[in-house]
Amino acid sequence: ASLAELPPHLRTPLSRKRVEAARAIPWSPARQIDGAPNTVQYFPALYVPGTIGIAAARWCGASPLQALYAGRIAMLLSYLALGAAAVALAAFGQGLLFALLNLPMALSLGASFNQDGQLIAASALTGALLTLDPRLHPRLRFLALPIFALVLMSKPPYGLLLFAALLPLARPGLLRRAAVIFLFALPPVIWVALMMHDAQVPYHRTAYLPGPLWPGDPHQIFHGTDPAASLRVLLAKPSRFIHLPVQFLIIDGKEIIREGVGILGWLSVSLGQWAYDGWYIALGMAALGVLASGGGAAVPWRLADALLVLALVILSVFAVEIAIYLSWDDVGAATISGPQGRYYLLFIPFLILALPRLAQRQGAQNSAAGSIEALLAMPAIVMALIDTGYLPWLIVHKFYLR
């Protein structure tokens, strides 16, 4: 049913006949095995809302296509619940979290079966909990660890961000807190080990010769991804662990930013330039709102804490890009080519912790600081309201009958 509703050619809108045929497809009388190697390796928890939506719709007598839409609605409701909790609980940075969660890319993922929407919302909730002062909200803040551990079960390259929970570094018991963080890092490590042993398979491709960085026989034939061989490429010249990620950001950084805001469909539906410019302004103004925020129940800002968060984010960016080079790119490729803009949205909630809060340092009243932050969030609110009409129109115009 899902494949039946896809346009036969991506540049051709769906015909009414094809839509009606997709709606008429019945349930299969028996279960069938479906090969999904790039999905089965992810921890299944974040797919639960969509699964419940499909099962509930089928129980109510819906067709497969209707059940798929019900599953997407369930995924969206889960995304909205996590996002609303993040905005409600954050001690500061609510405007930037709101802007992040309403980016066209984030919203489109949140309303799909792609778990990346749930990952973005869970990261936003993690960052929101870490904005709380641990002296005032120790138990609530502690929830950041299991929530982000769930993220790491699917995306282990983000693992270093778990140590943002060490903030503030000046608080007593640093070693004890580090030990607790290591305990929460264990389940993702165990899951990844089990997955690699039992479920992970290479991505098969047409036979190809290795790229120019391959240190072995240049005539060796590869038939898919090969993490061990790609690791050999990096170890042959260890500077590539730094050079390749930096090179990727220099070459593709501008496109990554556009994708992070939103290139929809199969990365084939671009927004109008005015929409990108509007969201750039909205994100910038929301970031300024963090600078203007005050104290209250917020974790205090210190330079050492900010530097730690920045280091964790930078190292995690490198880890994500290297992981994709190992697991997705062709062996010996001269550049990293797999990362997409949505992968970088998970960093924004943690960067909020690194931004200085000038009002806090000046002893400003929390209510006044909150008013300034809310005012600077207005561009994001305006863009979100515009998108409630613009984004559906864009998708209908691209894929459906007009």
Side-chain angles (χ1 to χ4, degrees):
S2 175
L3 294 175
E5 206 194 24
L6 290 176
H9 305 288
L10 297 184
R11 290 184 291 272
T12 304
L14 280 166
S15 66
R16 187 175 302 278
K17 182 178 179 181
R18 190 177 180 92
V19 172
E20 291 175 352
R23 291 174 179 171
I25 291 175
W27 291 96
S28 172
R31 292 176 183 261
Q32 299 179 13
I33 297 296
D34 178 54
N38 62 335
T39 301
V40 72
Q41 59 187 304
Y42 297 133
F43 193 70
L46 296 177
Y47 292 104
V48 168
T51 305
I52 292 175
I54 291 175
R58 182 177 185 180
W59 183 79
C60 292
S63 71
L65 187 63
Q66 291 170 331
L68 288 173
Y69 279 115
R72 292 183 61 177
I73 291 172
M75 292 289 275
L76 177 60
L77 292 175
S78 172
Y79 176 86
L80 293 175
L82 291 170
V87 175
L89 293 173
F92 60 89
Q94 295 96 328
L96 190 49
L97 289 173
F98 177 87
L100 164 67
L101 293 162
N102 280 277
L103 287 174
M105 178 58 79
L107 273 180
S108 69
L109 292 168
S112 75
F113 286 110
N114 191 320
Q115 66 161 354
D116 284 352
Q118 308 298 311
L119 293 173
I120 292 168
S123 295
L125 182 53
T126 301
L129 292 170
L130 292 180
T131 65
L132 299 172
D133 190 332
R135 297 171 299 179
L136 301 176
H137 302 283
R139 295 181 179 178
L140 192 58
R141 194 174 188 271
F142 181 80
L143 290 176
L145 292 176
I147 291 172
F148 201 67
L150 194 62
V151 173
L152 302 184
M153 299 285 268
S154 292
K155 300 289 185 180
Y158 295 92
L160 286 175
L161 295 175
L162 196 62
F163 289 89
L166 288 173
L167 273 59
L169 296 175
R171 187 161 60 102
L174 181 63
L175 294 179
R176 178 183 57 81
R177 299 200 307 276
V180 172
I181 291 172
F182 273 111
L183 287 177
F184 277 93
L186 281 178
V189 171
I190 294 172
W191 168 259
V192 170
L194 290 172
M195 179 273 298
M196 293 180 67
H197 183 268
D198 294 330
Q200 190 180 45
V201 296
Y203 295 103
H204 293 289
R205 292 171 182 161
T206 304
Y208 67 93
L209 293 171
L213 300 186
W214 173 241
D217 180 4
H219 303 292
Q220 182 175 347
I221 301 295
F222 290 91
H223 298 275
T225 56
D226 190 330
S230 294
L231 181 60
R232 181 181 170 188
V233 171
L234 297 176
L235 293 176
K237 191 174 182 181
S239 63
R240 289 170 181 161
F241 282 97
I242 298 176
H243 170 71
L244 288 177
V246 171
Q247 174 185 257
F248 171 78
L249 292 174
I250 293 173
I251 295 174
D252 295 301
K254 184 176 180 180
E255 187 65 12
I256 286 295
I257 293 173
R258 282 172 59 86
E259 286 182 7
V261 171
I263 300 182
L264 309 180
W266 292 270
L267 293 179
S268 58
V269 183
S270 294
L271 311 179
Q273 187 57 47
W274 64 267
Y276 290 111
D277 292 340
W279 276 112
Y280 296 152
I281 293 171
L283 289 167
M285 297 292 282
L288 289 176
V290 179
L291 301 182
S293 61
V299 61
W301 184 90
R302 292 186 177 87
L303 179 59
D305 296 341
L307 292 176
L308 172 64
V309 171
L310 287 175
L312 293 174
V313 169
I314 292 171
L315 290 172
S316 298
V317 167
F318 279 39
V320 168
E321 294 175 5
I322 290 296
I324 292 173
Y325 184 80
L326 293 174
S327 63
W328 178 257
D329 292 341
D330 289 347
V331 174
T335 59
I336 298 174
S337 60
Q340 298 180 24
R342 67 180 188 267
Y343 302 157
Y344 298 85
L345 298 182
L346 276 71
F347 297 119
I348 292 178
F350 295 90
L351 287 172
I352 290 174
L353 299 169
L355 293 174
R357 280 163 275 137
L358 304 180
Q360 173 190 286
R361 297 183 63 183
Q362 296 173 0
Q365 293 296 320
N366 192 49
S367 59
S371 299
I372 295 173
E373 187 173 7
L375 182 63
L376 291 172
M378 286 304 299
I381 295 173
V382 170
M383 289 303 301
L385 289 172
I386 292 173
D387 281 349
T388 59
Y390 174 59
L391 297 182
W393 173 86
L394 191 64
I395 294 300
V396 169
H397 180 78
K398 179 68 177 180
F399 294 112
Y400 291 89
L401 292 169
R402 298 184 290 278

